[in-house]
PDB file of all heavy atoms in Angstrom:
ATOM      1  N   ALA A 152      23.253 -36.534  -5.757  1.00 97.00           N
ATOM      2  CA  ALA A 152      22.016 -35.952  -5.268  1.00 97.00           C
ATOM      3  C   ALA A 152      21.354 -36.924  -4.322  1.00 97.00           C
ATOM      4  O   ALA A 152      21.607 -38.125  -4.306  1.00 97.00           O
ATOM      5  CB  ALA A 152      21.102 -35.637  -6.471  1.00 97.00           C
ATOM      6  N   PRO A 153      20.427 -36.443  -3.488  1.00 91.00           N
ATOM      7  CA  PRO A 153      19.748 -37.341  -2.533  1.00 91.00           C
ATOM      8  C   PRO A 153      19.055 -38.503  -3.286  1.00 91.00           C
ATOM      9  O   PRO A 153      18.310 -38.281  -4.254  1.00 91.00           O
ATOM     10  CB  PRO A 153      18.719 -36.405  -1.877  1.00 91.00           C
ATOM     11  CG  PRO A 153      19.305 -35.069  -1.972  1.00 91.00           C
ATOM     12  CD  PRO A 153      20.035 -35.023  -3.272  1.00 91.00           C
ATOM     13  N   GLY A 154      19.313 -39.692  -2.820  1.00 94.00           N
ATOM     14  CA  GLY A 154      18.697 -40.877  -3.423  1.00 94.00           C
ATOM     15  C   GLY A 154      19.280 -41.287  -4.742  1.00 94.00           C
ATOM     16  O   GLY A 154      18.747 -42.215  -5.389  1.00 94.00           O
ATOM     17  N   LYS A 155      20.337 -40.636  -5.199  1.00 96.00           N
ATOM     18  CA  LYS A 155      20.888 -40.908  -6.521  1.00 96.00           C
ATOM     19  C   LYS A 155      22.331 -41.446  -6.395  1.00 96.00           C
ATOM     20  O   LYS A 155      22.937 -41.345  -5.334  1.00 96.00           O
ATOM     21  CB  LYS A 155      20.905 -39.646  -7.378  1.00 96.00           C
ATOM     22  CG  LYS A 155      19.558 -38.991  -7.570  1.00 96.00           C
ATOM     23  CD  LYS A 155      18.598 -39.853  -8.332  1.00 96.00           C
ATOM     24  CE  LYS A 155      17.297 -39.086  -8.574  1.00 96.00           C
ATOM     25  NZ  LYS A 155      16.315 -39.924  -9.310  1.00 96.00           N
ATOM     26  N   GLU A 156      22.864 -41.980  -7.511  1.00 96.00           N
ATOM     27  CA  GLU A 156      24.245 -42.429  -7.527  1.00 96.00           C
ATOM     28  C   GLU A 156      25.170 -41.241  -7.801  1.00 96.00           C
ATOM     29  O   GLU A 156      24.712 -40.175  -8.259  1.00 96.00           O
ATOM     30  CB  GLU A 156      24.422 -43.509  -8.569  1.00 96.00           C
ATOM     31  CG  GLU A 156      23.723 -44.783  -8.291  1.00 96.00           C
ATOM     32  CD  GLU A 156      24.187 -45.956  -9.143  1.00 96.00           C
ATOM     33  OE1 GLU A 156      24.736 -45.678 -10.244  1.00 96.00           O
ATOM     34  OE2 GLU A 156      24.023 -47.097  -8.755  1.00 96.00           O
ATOM     35  N   ARG A 157      26.418 -41.460  -7.514  1.00 97.00           N
ATOM     36  CA  ARG A 157      27.413 -40.421  -7.756  1.00 97.00           C
ATOM     37  C   ARG A 157      27.721 -40.308  -9.256  1.00 97.00           C
ATOM     38  O   ARG A 157      28.077 -41.316  -9.872  1.00 97.00           O
ATOM     39  CB  ARG A 157      28.669 -40.728  -6.988  1.00 97.00           C
ATOM     40  CG  ARG A 157      29.688 -39.595  -6.968  1.00 97.00           C
ATOM     41  CD  ARG A 157      30.844 -39.921  -6.015  1.00 97.00           C
ATOM     42  NE  ARG A 157      30.393 -40.082  -4.648  1.00 97.00           N
ATOM     43  CZ  ARG A 157      31.227 -40.261  -3.610  1.00 97.00           C
ATOM     44  NH1 ARG A 157      32.503 -40.246  -3.762  1.00 97.00           N
ATOM     45  NH2 ARG A 157      30.707 -40.420  -2.415  1.00 97.00           N
ATOM     46  N   ASP A 158      27.584 -39.153  -9.824  1.00 98.00           N
ATOM     47  CA  ASP A 158      27.674 -38.950 -11.270  1.00 98.00           C
ATOM     48  C   ASP A 158      28.871 -38.014 -11.615  1.00 98.00           C
ATOM     49  O   ASP A 158      29.173 -37.061 -10.866  1.00 98.00           O
ATOM     50  CB  ASP A 158      26.415 -38.364 -11.829  1.00 98.00           C
ATOM     51  CG  ASP A 158      25.217 -39.298 -11.826  1.00 98.00           C
ATOM     52  OD1 ASP A 158      25.457 -40.522 -11.946  1.00 98.00           O
ATOM     53  OD2 ASP A 158      24.110 -38.839 -11.693  1.00 98.00           O
ATOM     54  N   PHE A 159      29.432 -38.252 -12.751  1.00 98.00           N
ATOM     55  CA  PHE A 159      30.508 -37.447 -13.297  1.00 98.00           C
ATOM     56  C   PHE A 159      30.009 -36.029 -13.621  1.00 98.00           C
ATOM     57  O   PHE A 159      28.924 -35.852 -14.171  1.00 98.00           O
ATOM     58  CB  PHE A 159      31.086 -38.074 -14.540  1.00 98.00           C
ATOM     59  CG  PHE A 159      32.014 -37.230 -15.299  1.00 98.00           C
ATOM     60  CD1 PHE A 159      33.307 -36.886 -14.853  1.00 98.00           C
ATOM     61  CD2 PHE A 159      31.638 -36.640 -16.513  1.00 98.00           C
ATOM     62  CE1 PHE A 159      34.130 -36.073 -15.540  1.00 98.00           C
ATOM     63  CE2 PHE A 159      32.479 -35.833 -17.257  1.00 98.00           C
ATOM     64  CZ  PHE A 159      33.739 -35.554 -16.734  1.00 98.00           C
ATOM     65  N   VAL A 160      30.768 -35.040 -13.299  1.00 98.00           N
ATOM     66  CA  VAL A 160      30.475 -33.642 -13.593  1.00 98.00           C
ATOM     67  C   VAL A 160      31.472 -33.042 -14.593  1.00 98.00           C
ATOM     68  O   VAL A 160      31.071 -32.558 -15.628  1.00 98.00           O
ATOM     69  CB  VAL A 160      30.393 -32.771 -12.330  1.00 98.00           C
ATOM     70  CG1 VAL A 160      30.117 -31.312 -12.678  1.00 98.00           C
ATOM     71  CG2 VAL A 160      29.284 -33.287 -11.376  1.00 98.00           C
ATOM     72  N   ALA A 161      32.773 -33.043 -14.213  1.00 98.00           N
ATOM     73  CA  ALA A 161      33.765 -32.442 -15.082  1.00 98.00           C
ATOM     74  C   ALA A 161      35.133 -33.001 -14.698  1.00 98.00           C
ATOM     75  O   ALA A 161      35.367 -33.472 -13.588  1.00 98.00           O
ATOM     76  CB  ALA A 161      33.747 -30.911 -14.897  1.00 98.00           C
ATOM     77  N   ALA A 162      36.060 -32.898 -15.644  1.00 98.00           N
ATOM     78  CA  ALA A 162      37.428 -33.376 -15.457  1.00 98.00           C
ATOM     79  C   ALA A 162      38.409 -32.462 -16.173  1.00 98.00           C
ATOM     80  O   ALA A 162      38.044 -31.827 -17.174  1.00 98.00           O
ATOM     81  CB  ALA A 162      37.612 -34.809 -15.875  1.00 98.00           C
ATOM     82  N   ILE A 163      39.633 -32.506 -15.730  1.00 97.00           N
ATOM     83  CA  ILE A 163      40.679 -31.649 -16.325  1.00 97.00           C
ATOM     84  C   ILE A 163      42.004 -32.441 -16.353  1.00 97.00           C
ATOM     85  O   ILE A 163      42.326 -33.136 -15.384  1.00 97.00           O
ATOM     86  CB  ILE A 163      40.814 -30.300 -15.598  1.00 97.00           C
ATOM     87  CG1 ILE A 163      41.720 -29.317 -16.322  1.00 97.00           C
ATOM     88  CG2 ILE A 163      41.262 -30.521 -14.148  1.00 97.00           C
ATOM     89  CD1 ILE A 163      41.597 -27.903 -15.784  1.00 97.00           C
ATOM     90  N   THR A 164      42.770 -32.282 -17.427  1.00 94.00           N
ATOM     91  CA  THR A 164      44.032 -32.938 -17.548  1.00 94.00           C
ATOM     92  C   THR A 164      45.082 -32.364 -16.608  1.00 94.00           C
ATOM     93  O   THR A 164      44.865 -31.307 -15.999  1.00 94.00           O
ATOM     94  CB  THR A 164      44.550 -32.912 -18.987  1.00 94.00           C
ATOM     95  OG1 THR A 164      44.578 -31.543 -19.437  1.00 94.00           O
ATOM     96  CG2 THR A 164      43.630 -33.696 -19.899  1.00 94.00           C
ATOM     97  N   ARG A 165      46.267 -33.024 -16.570  1.00 92.00           N
ATOM     98  CA  ARG A 165      47.282 -32.650 -15.601  1.00 92.00           C
ATOM     99  C   ARG A 165      47.739 -31.221 -15.735  1.00 92.00           C
ATOM    100  O   ARG A 165      47.946 -30.498 -14.711  1.00 92.00           O
ATOM    101  CB  ARG A 165      48.488 -33.591 -15.717  1.00 92.00           C
ATOM    102  CG  ARG A 165      48.181 -35.026 -15.320  1.00 92.00           C
ATOM    103  CD  ARG A 165      49.393 -35.886 -15.447  1.00 92.00           C
ATOM    104  NE  ARG A 165      49.821 -36.011 -16.870  1.00 92.00           N
ATOM    105  CZ  ARG A 165      50.885 -36.687 -17.271  1.00 92.00           C
ATOM    106  NH1 ARG A 165      51.656 -37.275 -16.398  1.00 92.00           N
ATOM    107  NH2 ARG A 165      51.200 -36.738 -18.546  1.00 92.00           N
ATOM    108  N   SER A 166      47.915 -30.777 -16.976  1.00 89.00           N
ATOM    109  CA  SER A 166      48.364 -29.398 -17.202  1.00 89.00           C
ATOM    110  C   SER A 166      47.257 -28.410 -17.327  1.00 89.00           C
ATOM    111  O   SER A 166      47.486 -27.192 -17.386  1.00 89.00           O
ATOM    112  CB  SER A 166      49.213 -29.361 -18.457  1.00 89.00           C
ATOM    113  OG  SER A 166      48.409 -29.627 -19.616  1.00 89.00           O
ATOM    114  N   GLY A 167      46.051 -28.883 -17.356  1.00 91.00           N
ATOM    115  CA  GLY A 167      44.869 -28.041 -17.520  1.00 91.00           C
ATOM    116  C   GLY A 167      44.553 -27.712 -18.979  1.00 91.00           C
ATOM    117  O   GLY A 167      43.719 -26.855 -19.232  1.00 91.00           O
ATOM    118  N   GLY A 168      45.245 -28.374 -19.902  1.00 92.00           N
ATOM    119  CA  GLY A 168      45.084 -28.070 -21.310  1.00 92.00           C
ATOM    120  C   GLY A 168      43.774 -28.560 -21.910  1.00 92.00           C
ATOM    121  O   GLY A 168      43.378 -28.026 -22.925  1.00 92.00           O
ATOM    122  N   SER A 169      43.162 -29.564 -21.307  1.00 95.00           N
ATOM    123  CA  SER A 169      41.927 -30.107 -21.830  1.00 95.00           C
ATOM    124  C   SER A 169      40.957 -30.333 -20.702  1.00 95.00           C
ATOM    125  O   SER A 169      41.359 -30.691 -19.606  1.00 95.00           O
ATOM    126  CB  SER A 169      42.191 -31.434 -22.571  1.00 95.00           C
ATOM    127  OG  SER A 169      43.008 -31.243 -23.705  1.00 95.00           O
ATOM    128  N   THR A 170      39.669 -30.158 -21.021  1.00 97.00           N
ATOM    129  CA  THR A 170      38.625 -30.429 -20.025  1.00 97.00           C
ATOM    130  C   THR A 170      37.490 -31.202 -20.686  1.00 97.00           C
ATOM    131  O   THR A 170      37.329 -31.196 -21.903  1.00 97.00           O
ATOM    132  CB  THR A 170      38.062 -29.114 -19.464  1.00 97.00           C
ATOM    133  OG1 THR A 170      37.451 -28.326 -20.500  1.00 97.00           O
ATOM    134  CG2 THR A 170      39.157 -28.299 -18.777  1.00 97.00           C
ATOM    135  N   ASN A 171      36.736 -31.868 -19.855  1.00 97.00           N
ATOM    136  CA  ASN A 171      35.529 -32.574 -20.251  1.00 97.00           C
ATOM    137  C   ASN A 171      34.472 -32.330 -19.216  1.00 97.00           C
ATOM    138  O   ASN A 171      34.762 -32.189 -18.029  1.00 97.00           O
ATOM    139  CB  ASN A 171      35.789 -34.060 -20.435  1.00 97.00           C
ATOM    140  CG  ASN A 171      36.753 -34.370 -21.549  1.00 97.00           C
ATOM    141  OD1 ASN A 171      37.970 -34.336 -21.361  1.00 97.00           O
ATOM    142  ND2 ASN A 171      36.210 -34.614 -22.753  1.00 97.00           N
ATOM    143  N   SER A 172      33.235 -32.329 -19.665  1.00 98.00           N
ATOM    144  CA  SER A 172      32.143 -32.144 -18.724  1.00 98.00           C
ATOM    145  C   SER A 172      30.907 -32.938 -19.148  1.00 98.00           C
ATOM    146  O   SER A 172      30.763 -33.300 -20.327  1.00 98.00           O
ATOM    147  CB  SER A 172      31.750 -30.642 -18.627  1.00 98.00           C
ATOM    148  OG  SER A 172      31.371 -30.123 -19.871  1.00 98.00           O
ATOM    149  N   ALA A 173      30.067 -33.231 -18.210  1.00 98.00           N
ATOM    150  CA  ALA A 173      28.847 -33.971 -18.478  1.00 98.00           C
ATOM    151  C   ALA A 173      27.886 -33.085 -19.287  1.00 98.00           C
ATOM    152  O   ALA A 173      27.886 -31.861 -19.188  1.00 98.00           O
ATOM    153  CB  ALA A 173      28.175 -34.381 -17.166  1.00 98.00           C
ATOM    154  N   ASP A 174      27.059 -33.713 -20.102  1.00 98.00           N
ATOM    155  CA  ASP A 174      26.095 -32.978 -20.913  1.00 98.00           C
ATOM    156  C   ASP A 174      25.161 -32.117 -20.060  1.00 98.00           C
ATOM    157  O   ASP A 174      24.784 -31.018 -20.483  1.00 98.00           O
ATOM    158  CB  ASP A 174      25.268 -33.945 -21.793  1.00 98.00           C
ATOM    159  CG  ASP A 174      26.063 -34.586 -22.893  1.00 98.00           C
ATOM    160  OD1 ASP A 174      27.147 -34.050 -23.228  1.00 98.00           O
ATOM    161  OD2 ASP A 174      25.599 -35.589 -23.442  1.00 98.00           O
ATOM    162  N   SER A 175      24.853 -32.581 -18.879  1.00 97.00           N
ATOM    163  CA  SER A 175      23.891 -31.880 -18.046  1.00 97.00           C
ATOM    164  C   SER A 175      24.443 -30.522 -17.538  1.00 97.00           C
ATOM    165  O   SER A 175      23.637 -29.661 -17.107  1.00 97.00           O
ATOM    166  CB  SER A 175      23.495 -32.727 -16.861  1.00 97.00           C
ATOM    167  OG  SER A 175      24.604 -33.102 -16.059  1.00 97.00           O
ATOM    168  N   VAL A 176      25.790 -30.340 -17.556  1.00 98.00           N
ATOM    169  CA  VAL A 176      26.352 -29.106 -17.035  1.00 98.00           C
ATOM    170  C   VAL A 176      27.125 -28.337 -18.072  1.00 98.00           C
ATOM    171  O   VAL A 176      27.602 -27.236 -17.790  1.00 98.00           O
ATOM    172  CB  VAL A 176      27.234 -29.350 -15.834  1.00 98.00           C
ATOM    173  CG1 VAL A 176      26.498 -30.156 -14.759  1.00 98.00           C
ATOM    174  CG2 VAL A 176      28.531 -30.096 -16.242  1.00 98.00           C
ATOM    175  N   LYS A 177      27.226 -28.886 -19.281  1.00 97.00           N
ATOM    176  CA  LYS A 177      28.016 -28.280 -20.353  1.00 97.00           C
ATOM    177  C   LYS A 177      27.442 -26.890 -20.669  1.00 97.00           C
ATOM    178  O   LYS A 177      26.266 -26.711 -20.861  1.00 97.00           O
ATOM    179  CB  LYS A 177      28.030 -29.161 -21.561  1.00 97.00           C
ATOM    180  CG  LYS A 177      29.123 -28.811 -22.602  1.00 97.00           C
ATOM    181  CD  LYS A 177      29.328 -30.003 -23.570  1.00 97.00           C
ATOM    182  CE  LYS A 177      29.851 -31.225 -22.855  1.00 97.00           C
ATOM    183  NZ  LYS A 177      30.125 -32.356 -23.791  1.00 97.00           N
ATOM    184  N   GLY A 178      28.382 -25.919 -20.752  1.00 97.00           N
ATOM    185  CA  GLY A 178      27.994 -24.540 -20.990  1.00 97.00           C
ATOM    186  C   GLY A 178      27.636 -23.793 -19.746  1.00 97.00           C
ATOM    187  O   GLY A 178      27.549 -22.512 -19.851  1.00 97.00           O
ATOM    188  N   ARG A 179      27.511 -24.447 -18.627  1.00 98.00           N
ATOM    189  CA  ARG A 179      27.207 -23.768 -17.383  1.00 98.00           C
ATOM    190  C   ARG A 179      28.339 -23.874 -16.345  1.00 98.00           C
ATOM    191  O   ARG A 179      28.566 -22.974 -15.590  1.00 98.00           O
ATOM    192  CB  ARG A 179      25.907 -24.324 -16.775  1.00 98.00           C
ATOM    193  CG  ARG A 179      24.679 -24.145 -17.676  1.00 98.00           C
ATOM    194  CD  ARG A 179      23.417 -24.543 -16.933  1.00 98.00           C
ATOM    195  NE  ARG A 179      23.404 -25.959 -16.528  1.00 98.00           N
ATOM    196  CZ  ARG A 179      23.319 -26.402 -15.318  1.00 98.00           C
ATOM    197  NH1 ARG A 179      23.211 -25.531 -14.272  1.00 98.00           N
ATOM    198  NH2 ARG A 179      23.335 -27.673 -15.044  1.00 98.00           N
ATOM    199  N   PHE A 180      28.955 -25.073 -16.346  1.00 98.00           N
ATOM    200  CA  PHE A 180      30.032 -25.316 -15.360  1.00 98.00           C
ATOM    201  C   PHE A 180      31.387 -25.306 -16.068  1.00 98.00           C
ATOM    202  O   PHE A 180      31.517 -25.822 -17.162  1.00 98.00           O
ATOM    203  CB  PHE A 180      29.874 -26.666 -14.692  1.00 98.00           C
ATOM    204  CG  PHE A 180      28.706 -26.794 -13.731  1.00 98.00           C
ATOM    205  CD1 PHE A 180      27.695 -25.827 -13.654  1.00 98.00           C
ATOM    206  CD2 PHE A 180      28.558 -27.922 -12.912  1.00 98.00           C
ATOM    207  CE1 PHE A 180      26.623 -25.900 -12.807  1.00 98.00           C
ATOM    208  CE2 PHE A 180      27.491 -28.033 -12.065  1.00 98.00           C
ATOM    209  CZ  PHE A 180      26.559 -27.054 -11.988  1.00 98.00           C
ATOM    210  N   THR A 181      32.387 -24.774 -15.399  1.00 98.00           N
ATOM    211  CA  THR A 181      33.728 -24.768 -15.922  1.00 98.00           C
ATOM    212  C   THR A 181      34.737 -25.275 -14.854  1.00 98.00           C
ATOM    213  O   THR A 181      34.769 -24.737 -13.763  1.00 98.00           O
ATOM    214  CB  THR A 181      34.137 -23.342 -16.368  1.00 98.00           C
ATOM    215  OG1 THR A 181      33.240 -22.868 -17.337  1.00 98.00           O
ATOM    216  CG2 THR A 181      35.564 -23.359 -16.976  1.00 98.00           C
ATOM    217  N   ILE A 182      35.553 -26.252 -15.224  1.00 98.00           N
ATOM    218  CA  ILE A 182      36.576 -26.762 -14.336  1.00 98.00           C
ATOM    219  C   ILE A 182      37.905 -26.077 -14.686  1.00 98.00           C
ATOM    220  O   ILE A 182      38.154 -25.885 -15.865  1.00 98.00           O
ATOM    221  CB  ILE A 182      36.644 -28.298 -14.395  1.00 98.00           C
ATOM    222  CG1 ILE A 182      37.610 -28.802 -13.295  1.00 98.00           C
ATOM    223  CG2 ILE A 182      37.065 -28.768 -15.768  1.00 98.00           C
ATOM    224  CD1 ILE A 182      37.603 -30.332 -13.172  1.00 98.00           C
ATOM    225  N   SER A 183      38.708 -25.765 -13.715  1.00 98.00           N
ATOM    226  CA  SER A 183      40.006 -25.225 -13.923  1.00 98.00           C
ATOM    227  C   SER A 183      40.948 -25.660 -12.816  1.00 98.00           C
ATOM    228  O   SER A 183      40.488 -26.199 -11.796  1.00 98.00           O
ATOM    229  CB  SER A 183      39.940 -23.684 -14.046  1.00 98.00           C
ATOM    230  OG  SER A 183      39.443 -23.125 -12.809  1.00 98.00           O
ATOM    231  N   ARG A 184      42.223 -25.427 -12.990  1.00 97.00           N
ATOM    232  CA  ARG A 184      43.187 -25.777 -11.957  1.00 97.00           C
ATOM    233  C   ARG A 184      44.311 -24.810 -11.899  1.00 97.00           C
ATOM    234  O   ARG A 184      44.677 -24.186 -12.879  1.00 97.00           O
ATOM    235  CB  ARG A 184      43.709 -27.223 -12.124  1.00 97.00           C
ATOM    236  CG  ARG A 184      44.579 -27.425 -13.348  1.00 97.00           C
ATOM    237  CD  ARG A 184      44.813 -28.925 -13.632  1.00 97.00           C
ATOM    238  NE  ARG A 184      45.496 -29.586 -12.552  1.00 97.00           N
ATOM    239  CZ  ARG A 184      45.562 -30.913 -12.422  1.00 97.00           C
ATOM    240  NH1 ARG A 184      44.904 -31.698 -13.277  1.00 97.00           N
ATOM    241  NH2 ARG A 184      46.248 -31.442 -11.409  1.00 97.00           N
ATOM    242  N   ASP A 185      44.878 -24.695 -10.682  1.00 96.00           N
ATOM    243  CA  ASP A 185      46.089 -23.852 -10.500  1.00 96.00           C
ATOM    244  C   ASP A 185      47.107 -24.783  -9.826  1.00 96.00           C
ATOM    245  O   ASP A 185      47.016 -24.999  -8.616  1.00 96.00           O
ATOM    246  CB  ASP A 185      45.739 -22.646  -9.598  1.00 96.00           C
ATOM    247  CG  ASP A 185      46.905 -21.703  -9.458  1.00 96.00           C
ATOM    248  OD1 ASP A 185      48.058 -22.099  -9.725  1.00 96.00           O
ATOM    249  OD2 ASP A 185      46.651 -20.507  -9.088  1.00 96.00           O
ATOM    250  N   ASN A 186      47.995 -25.323 -10.613  1.00 93.00           N
ATOM    251  CA  ASN A 186      48.983 -26.273 -10.066  1.00 93.00           C
ATOM    252  C   ASN A 186      49.915 -25.668  -9.051  1.00 93.00           C
ATOM    253  O   ASN A 186      50.383 -26.349  -8.162  1.00 93.00           O
ATOM    254  CB  ASN A 186      49.710 -26.934 -11.207  1.00 93.00           C
ATOM    255  CG  ASN A 186      48.886 -27.948 -11.974  1.00 93.00           C
ATOM    256  OD1 ASN A 186      47.813 -28.345 -11.570  1.00 93.00           O
ATOM    257  ND2 ASN A 186      49.368 -28.333 -13.149  1.00 93.00           N
ATOM    258  N   ALA A 187      50.186 -24.376  -9.191  1.00 93.00           N
ATOM    259  CA  ALA A 187      51.053 -23.708  -8.209  1.00 93.00           C
ATOM    260  C   ALA A 187      50.389 -23.673  -6.826  1.00 93.00           C
ATOM    261  O   ALA A 187      51.101 -23.583  -5.835  1.00 93.00           O
ATOM    262  CB  ALA A 187      51.351 -22.287  -8.673  1.00 93.00           C
TER     263      ALA A 187
END
């Protein structure tokens, strides 16, 4: 954000089997991947 440091939002494992997200976005943001 303007004037702020870069913060973690969400991450996903190589196969997409597990995800993690920051508390500030949990329940609102969803990370996914399509390896193909």
Side-chain angles (χ1 to χ4, degrees):
K155 306 293 185 180
E156 293 193 339
R157 190 173 299 185
D158 291 328
F159 169 73
V160 176
I163 189 166
T164 54
R165 294 179 295 177
S166 66
S169 297
T170 62
N171 295 86
S172 60
D174 289 342
S175 59
V176 306
K177 196 163 296 182
R179 299 188 298 120
F180 291 11
T181 302
I182 188 172
S183 62
R184 68 192 297 163
D185 185 342
N186 286 346

